Amino acid sequence: MSTPASEVYRVAGEDRRRNGLRWAATVVMGLLDSGADAPSTSEVVIRRVDGSLVKRLKPGSFDDFQTQLTEITDDLHHLDAVPFAQKWVAEPA
């Protein structure tokens, strides 16, 4: 019997470390009405249900972050743990 990914992993958007320049760039890009290209100040983080860190996924832009968070959250609720890990946790060959 397979274990649902949601029983093994948690996914959240968390503030990126050393974020000062990204915040400033995001504000400037917002003032220039270039919001879609603004660098993300957050990253998608995968943790085990016990809270231990599994992986940080770093998108380039704010839109990339939102798209990635939506996709990975959907997979968390629809995939079993092994296919989820193969897609999101395993390093590409």
Side-chain angles (χ1 to χ4, degrees):
M1 185 93 187
S2 298
T3 303
S6 61
E7 291 183 12
V8 178
Y9 300 105
R10 296 288 178 256
V11 175
E14 295 182 9
D15 287 341
R16 292 171 108 176
R17 295 173 283 191
R18 297 179 301 275
N19 226 4
L21 289 176
R22 286 183 196 94
W23 274 107
T26 299
V27 169
V28 169
M29 299 288 281
L31 292 173
L32 298 173
D33 200 25
S34 303
D37 295 332
S40 176
T41 57
S42 299
E43 60 192 351
V44 177
V45 177
I46 302 170
R47 296 185 181 276
R48 289 185 183 81
V49 293
D50 68 4
S52 60
L53 178 66
V54 174
K55 189 168 189 176
R56 293 180 181 276
L57 306 170
K58 297 180 182 175
S61 72
F62 180 74
D63 283 347
D64 291 339
F65 164 74
Q66 289 185 316
T67 300
Q68 190 177 56
L69 183 59
T70 299
E71 182 181 355
I72 196 169
T73 300
D74 187 54
D75 285 349
L76 180 70
H77 296 294
H78 293 98
L79 294 177
D80 288 331
V82 171
F84 180 87
Q86 289 170 334
K87 182 175 181 180
W88 294 108
V89 178
E91 295 298 323

